[in-house]
Amino acid sequence: MKIRIRGLRLGLDSTEADIKAEAAKTLMVQPKFIQNFHIVKKAVDARRKKVYFSYSVEVELSNAVMLPKNVLNNIDVSLVKSEPEQVLTPGSVKMPWSPLIIGMGPSGLFCALFLARHGYRPVVIEQGMDVDTREQKVEAFWNGGKLDVLSNTQFGEGGAGSFSDGKLTARSNDARVEYVLRALADFGAPEEITWLKKPHVGTDVIRQVVKAIRKEIIRLGGEVWFGAQLTDIDIQQGVLRRVEINGQTQVEVSAAVLAVGHSARNVYRMLHQKGVTMTPKAFAVGVRLEHPQEVIDYMQYGEFAGHPALGPADYNFTYQDRATGRSAYTFCMCPGGRVIAAASEEGLLAVNGMSYAKRDSGVANSAVVVTVTPDDWDDEVLGGVDYQEELEEKAFVAGGSNYHAPAQYLKDFMERDASSSLEGCIATYRPGLTPANMWKLLPKEIAEVLYRGLQSWGKKAPEFLDEDAVMTGIETRTSAPLRIQRDAERVSVNLRRLYPCGEGAGYAGGIVSAAVDGIKTAEKIISTYARPDKRLEIQDKNAIQASTLK
Ligand SMILES: Cc1cc2nc3c(=O)[nH]c(=O)nc-3n(C[C@H](O)[C@H](O)[C@H](O)COP(=O)(O)OP(=O)(O)OC[C@H]3O[C@@H](n4cnc5c(N)ncnc54)[C@H](O)[C@@H]3O)c2cc1C
């Protein structure tokens, strides 16, 4: 009999023996009768003046002891019921070719892994390069070299997730979240991600994990093609018949999963031109804000700041602006991280945040953004894409047209003054910064809401308006600016055989939710189609620069 105990609060220096003792106390038994003890959740509880760890654990009791009856009246104690494993039965629709997955971010990767594990031998095409080649290209760009528009922080093996903070938080209780975390741990992430409330792996670890998953897909009979860009689609009577790769070769399609992410603007435009149903959606724009990490640690943990068991602190602020109906909020907070050049097109500039596993840069960053809605672009399907591009172009020019980012001290923004010099500031962005005024870069109403949000957060936590804090612009890629409409079977509402999936299609917002969306899509393909007769063949292999990697 497995028992789960929630809400065990212990001090920061507590050991496993202490947690066990606390669990035994809650169950009113002696610690020696506790067997098979393991932690299922650990969170930092800093709501009160004192900082604790809060644990949920699962235990079994030895046969020598009975659980006192009234213990189960405690709402923090429950019996763990074992759910019967769900078996997915393949469907009956004939599938001449194995499924094609377009895009190898978390949604495409997990869709492919799930299909491969069920014998569907998926073929993945990814416009960017494998993660090692990609790493070299990104580093060169950050050091002032040329931007590669196909292999950058957004594009290439692992998608936007590879150059990220690697936070693996998910808001949903879907059992597939566990599947994703289990798989990530099995392919090289630390085991603790399966039980920490706010799991984090860092860009360095996630890149290795992605590579290991690719090898597994290939081992199970799938294929992965890098340097293979979807450039066109052939539709006949509302059915997707073929896709074109690199403008040169066509492949027949039985089912195609479109998992291209929210920065695939050329794909959005191509689909719109072909009449695929899409609707505009809200997202958010703003800046990255950096603080010395010790300021954030003190703001969150007070006298406990710097305790070795805690690690660098994060934060989360929201503000509802009554005057405009917009919200301001912090997003994608990266403790001990760095701000990165996240452009994927020439002449456009975007910033984002990432961190390494150790989170040891000494600088905390977060997006601080304000919502924008289809009303801001007259409800046009591609209006949000144009809106992002206009801001990114403005930021590129304000930075000096060389991918240096426009930046400003927070204190100057609050005074509505441009920063004159950023010499010696804490900002981590490469290749460089140009002093600027965000009041000129952001649309006026957005800057005003951002200002009022910051003011309100500064009242709650004065440290947040720290005089060393620096803003870097511009943050535009917070989520997809449109949604590719799909039905209950996850197929495009007006293009049969096309499965829009993940963040770019408007159905996810983060690594884990994108991966879960990929799995759900794979499940639909499996329950609809019988296992494929043949693996999808790419005839003209010369049309693809990179060969399959083993
Ligand atoms: C810097 C940064 C930090 C982030 N940090 C976090 C974090 O800590 N935690 C978190 O949960 N989320 C984070 N995110 C968000 C997260 O990375 C995304 O939500 C997630 O990657 C979306 O997954 P996806 O598979 O839907 O799309 P993507 O990851 O965007 O992948 C899409 C892939 O499709 C490919 N593609 C596009 N067009 C084509 C085409 N025509 N042909 C072939 N391939 C194509 C792209 O090259 C890309 O590799 C971060 C994002 C960024 C940019």
Side-chain angles (χ1 to χ4, degrees):
M1 180 174 61
K2 248 192 207 161
I3 306 162
R4 180 170 287 204
I5 310 157
R6 282 176 293 272
L8 297 176
R9 285 172 73 223
L10 284 108
L12 300 182
D13 296 311
S14 51
T15 61
E16 189 166 308
D18 298 330
I19 309 167
K20 218 171 177 178
E22 195 62 21
K25 202 165 121 196
T26 309
L27 297 181
M28 296 194 267
V29 299
Q30 289 180 39
K32 66 177 179 191
F33 294 124
I34 288 200
Q35 296 181 335
N36 298 334
F37 166 93
H38 70 275
I39 297 169
V40 288
K41 218 29 107 212
K42 176 184 176 187
V44 177
D45 182 349
R47 286 170 298 173
R48 302 165 186 85
K49 282 228 161 110
K50 215 165 169 310
V51 182
Y52 296 95
F53 286 129
S54 168
Y55 293 94
S56 294
V57 300
E58 275 180 13
V59 302
E60 286 178 65
L61 295 184
S62 82
N63 293 336
V65 69
M66 291 282 288
L67 185 67
K69 262 193 189 154
N70 56 349
V71 164
L72 287 174
N73 295 337
N74 181 344
I75 52 163
D76 287 328
V77 179
S78 57
L79 296 180
V80 180
K81 293 186 197 113
S82 54
E83 302 282 340
E85 208 179 301
Q86 304 258 343
V87 182
L88 200 54
T89 317
S92 54
V93 179
K94 231 174 131 35
M95 193 182 221
W97 302 103
S98 57
L100 176 70
I101 316 296
I102 306 157
M104 203 188 177
S107 59
L109 188 70
F110 270 85
C111 185
L113 177 67
F114 200 84
L115 286 167
R117 282 177 166 175
H118 286 79
Y120 280 69
R121 294 178 293 165
V123 171
V124 183
I125 58 166
E126 164 56 56
Q127 64 181 358
M129 298 306 286
D130 64 281
V131 81
D132 292 329
T133 312
R134 187 181 172 197
E135 200 172 309
Q136 289 166 15
K137 288 175 182 277
V138 170
E139 272 300 325
F141 172 55
W142 289 348
N143 286 327
K146 203 171 150 34
L147 169 72
D148 185 318
V149 293
L150 295 177
S151 288
N152 46 57
T153 53
Q154 310 283 345
F155 301 153
E157 186 175 21
S162 291
F163 288 82
S164 77
D165 189 36
K167 282 180 291 295
L168 300 172
T169 34
R171 282 191 210 119
S172 112
N173 287 331
D174 193 307
R176 296 171 191 88
V177 170
E178 222 171 283
Y179 181 98
V180 172
L181 296 176
R182 184 69 263 146
L184 293 172
D186 288 347
F187 288 104
E191 189 63 27
E192 65 177 24
I193 64 164
T194 60
W195 47 265
L196 286 179
K197 176 144 189 245
K198 292 184 180 174
H200 162 256
V201 279
T203 175
D204 39 349
V205 172
I206 213 155
R207 290 177 207 168
Q208 300 312 315
V209 171
V210 160
K211 230 183 331 182
I213 296 181
R214 175 232 300 163
K215 288 184 178 156
E216 178 68 356
I217 292 167
I218 294 169
R219 191 187 70 79
L220 293 169
E223 263 189 31
V224 177
W225 290 86
F226 296 112
Q229 185 184 38
L230 166 80
T231 42
D232 203 356
I233 53 178
D234 177 16
I235 304 174
Q236 285 167 30
Q237 281 134 10
V239 180
L240 177 63
R241 299 281 173 192
R242 276 176 221 92
V243 302
E244 182 192 75
I245 301 176
N246 292 348
Q248 289 184 50
T249 187
Q250 302 256 338
V251 289
E252 301 281 336
V253 166
S254 296
V257 177
L258 189 76
V260 290
H262 63 25
S263 294
R265 293 166 176 166
N266 48 1
V267 177
Y268 286 158
R269 291 197 162 104
M270 184 263 288
L271 294 178
H272 186 56
Q273 199 241 325
K274 298 272 174 178
V276 175
T277 304
M278 304 190 284
T279 48
K281 75 177 247 317
F283 57 99
V285 298
V287 295
R288 275 275 149 180
L289 179 58
E290 290 182 287
H291 291 87
Q293 182 65 51
E294 59 191 20
V295 170
I296 300 302
D297 291 350
Y298 182 74
M299 177 179 93
Q300 297 298 69
Y301 298 147
E303 60 179 284
F304 292 87
H307 190 289
L310 278 173
D314 64 4
Y315 59 81
N316 182 23
F317 287 110
T318 55
Y319 165 76
Q320 187 59 42
D321 190 63
R322 285 216 198 100
T324 59
R326 297 183 194 268
S327 316
Y329 59 97
T330 62
F331 169 74
C332 184
M333 201 266 141
C334 306
R338 38 201 92 223
V339 176
I340 59 167
S344 52
E345 285 137 302
E346 275 167 18
L348 304 182
L349 188 144
V351 298
N352 217 305
M354 71 165 209
S355 71
Y356 292 90
K358 285 193 175 152
R359 284 184 157 166
D360 60 358
S361 72
V363 184
N365 77 68
S366 174
V368 284
V369 289
V370 175
T371 47
V372 289
T373 70
D375 284 347
D376 290 305
W377 48 86
D378 298 329
D379 226 16
E380 287 290 324
V381 172
L382 296 175
V385 179
D386 296 340
Y387 188 96
Q388 286 174 322
E389 284 180 344
E390 269 169 40
L391 283 178
E392 291 173 15
E393 191 182 350
K394 236 173 131 184
F396 181 74
V397 172
S401 301
N402 55 359
Y403 294 104
H404 285 215
Q408 182 179 24
Y409 277 112
L410 173 64
K411 63 182 180 206
D412 291 337
F413 178 79
M414 298 311 281
E415 296 292 330
R416 298 175 189 246
D417 279 341
S419 294
S420 52
S421 164
L422 294 158
E423 195 74 28
C425 77
I426 58 161
T428 53
Y429 179 96
R430 289 188 285 154
L433 300 173
T434 303
N437 191 348
M438 299 302 169
W439 287 97
K440 295 206 170 127
L441 183 55
L442 292 165
K444 184 159 187 316
E445 189 169 300
I446 303 300
E448 290 289 355
V449 176
L450 193 63
Y451 172 80
R452 292 197 283 272
L454 287 160
Q455 253 186 340
S456 95
W457 303 333
K459 279 188 195 140
K460 285 186 203 145
E463 298 88 348
F464 200 66
L465 301 184
D466 185 77
E467 65 166 21
D468 289 327
V470 186
M471 293 170 143
T472 313
I474 197 165
E475 180 94 24
T476 45
R477 317 260 181 117
T478 48
S479 70
L482 53 79
R483 181 165 288 130
I484 307 173
Q485 293 298 333
R486 65 186 183 192
D487 63 18
E489 292 306 301
R490 302 186 150 244
V491 181
S492 152
V493 291
N494 68 342
L495 184 53
R496 303 285 88 196
R497 298 186 187 171
L498 183 77
Y499 289 79
C501 179
E503 185 164 35
Y507 298 98
I511 296 169
V512 175
S513 64
V516 166
D517 202 59
I519 293 170
K520 286 183 176 172
T521 299
E523 286 170 353
K524 281 290 180 201
I525 292 174
I526 293 168
S527 57
T528 306
Y529 296 99
R531 287 198 181 89
D533 298 340
K534 285 188 229 149
R535 188 163 67 190
L536 186 70
E537 279 295 324
I538 297 177
Q539 304 289 349
D540 181 7
K541 297 198 162 112
N542 293 331
I544 299 172
Q545 304 149 22
S547 58
T548 313
L549 292 186
K550 299 286 177 212

